Amino acid sequence: MELRHIEAFLAVAEELHFGRAAERLRMAQSPLSQTIRKLEKDVGAPLFERNTRSVTLTTAGHSLLPHARRILEEVDLARRAVSAGTGTVYGKLAIGFSGALNHATLPPLTRALRQQHPQLDVTLHGGLLTQEALQQLGNGALDLAFIGLPVDAPSLATRLIAIERLGATLPADHPLAGRASVGMGELAGDPFITMPASQGSTLREITFAACAAAGFRPRISQEVADPYTALSLVAGGVGVSLMPESIEGIMPAGIVFLPLDGDDVLLLSGLAWNPGSMSPAVRAALLVAEEVLPTPEG
């Protein structure tokens, strides 16, 4: 198996068209077909189903695809390692986050990574709630993730980076909108907008716990995975929602944010990573995170 065979396979697998793949590789279609046949002979299985109308991956092709991508990624990292100067951090770093809930924590980290480690290839994956992010850390799809705490994930490591009080977001025309604060019990008759239960949202769990402490179970009008979408629905009068106080600065028009009376309802936010999959890129990111997102005192 040669590197050019892997490159040819990946081009055809991503284009699902020999002509386009040949153009992408800047070679004629006939040599490309021959290269794929050599690879299929080498691995002992057909990788593509071909007919006059389409090209599709076989089961063997699907199995080879993630390995082919990793092979080329490792080759790219090796080339960059050779050319990098001493102490330069290179490689890829995949960071997961939920969206609006991380608007105060994600930008400082990504800015600092860009400034301190410009050779680091950082990709951001939004719309991930806590449990989904933990799953992707476990299977290697993510290197680092912003999550809600606490979590039950013995194989992963976490660090607290923020503690925020929750408040109620209400439509601007809500009967309680003119108040300075609101009690949880006063929202018992309102429909709530929450994150989906299936995606394991810490914010949802805290919302249900706060409602239970106030003596009621919330009536859910809508579940949405994106916190900013939830805010937009609040603005549209679909319901109310609990959100951290930092969200007040980015709320869409038509919403008011009211602190909660009584004991503070807190959202603990953290970073999570897999100690079993540490790389120079992850180690560098964790060090930068300690600088720009220190653990809160107390």
Side-chain angles (χ1 to χ4, degrees):
M1 188 183 299
E2 299 179 24
L3 185 59
R4 63 187 180 90
H5 294 168
I6 296 298
E7 292 172 335
F9 165 75
L10 195 56
V12 178
E14 291 177 347
E15 298 291 344
L16 292 178
H17 190 283
F18 274 81
R20 289 195 298 269
E23 290 179 5
R24 171 172 155 181
L25 295 169
R26 298 181 180 179
M27 63 187 300
Q29 187 170 332
S30 178
L32 174 60
S33 298
Q34 293 174 14
T35 299
I36 295 299
R37 283 196 292 270
K38 289 178 182 177
L39 179 59
E40 290 175 324
K41 182 178 180 181
D42 188 35
V43 299
L47 301 172
F48 297 99
E49 293 284 353
R50 312 162 175 84
N51 59 44
T52 56
R53 294 184 178 180
S54 65
V55 176
T56 58
L57 282 164
T58 63
T59 300
H62 280 290
S63 298
L64 179 60
L65 185 56
H67 298 286
R69 287 187 171 131
R70 282 197 291 272
I71 288 170
L72 293 187
E73 286 175 358
E74 288 298 323
V75 170
D76 178 61
L77 288 178
R79 288 170 175 159
R80 292 165 67 180
V82 171
S83 61
T86 303
T88 300
V89 177
Y90 58 90
K92 296 179 182 295
L93 185 73
I95 301 177
F97 67 104
S98 69
L101 294 181
N102 304 122
H103 81 278
T105 51
L106 177 66
L109 178 59
T110 55
R111 281 198 302 269
L113 285 172
R114 188 170 60 250
Q115 292 167 359
Q116 297 186 33
H117 303 293
Q119 298 299 320
L120 198 58
D121 185 5
V122 179
T123 57
L124 303 177
H125 303 266
L128 299 177
L129 302 182
T130 296
Q131 289 304 316
E132 188 176 2
L134 295 177
Q135 290 171 5
Q136 294 197 25
L137 285 170
N139 64 28
L142 290 177
D143 299 303
L144 194 65
F146 289 83
I147 60 165
L149 295 174
V151 294
D152 182 15
S155 65
L156 302 177
T158 64
R159 181 173 67 81
L160 178 69
I161 60 171
I163 302 173
E164 293 187 83
R165 287 186 293 271
L166 295 187
T169 58
L170 312 177
D173 58 357
H174 191 283
L176 301 174
R179 298 266 296 275
S181 62
V182 65
M184 279 300 302
E186 297 179 276
L187 303 175
D190 285 284
F192 275 71
I193 300 164
T194 69
M195 309 296 111
S198 60
Q199 293 179 262
S201 164
T202 303
L203 179 57
R204 176 192 171 96
E205 293 174 2
I206 294 172
T207 296
F208 271 69
C211 292
F216 71 97
R217 180 177 177 82
R219 175 168 55 91
I220 307 302
S221 62
Q222 189 125 6
E223 294 183 342
V224 292
D226 177 58
Y228 199 81
T229 300
L231 291 172
S232 297
L233 293 178
V234 172
V238 176
V240 302
S241 186
L242 296 191
M243 289 285 173
E245 55 192 356
S246 64
I247 213 78
E248 188 173 8
I250 63 167
M251 294 191 308
I255 296 183
V256 296
F257 179 92
L258 299 182
L260 295 175
D261 293 333
D263 294 338
D264 288 339
V265 179
L266 300 176
L267 175 66
L268 278 60
S269 300
L271 286 173
W273 64 95
N274 189 341
S277 300
M278 296 294 285
S279 66
V282 175
R283 291 189 183 92
L286 291 175
L287 289 175
V288 171
E290 288 180 3
E291 296 176 14
V292 299
L293 299 171
T295 299
E297 295 184 4

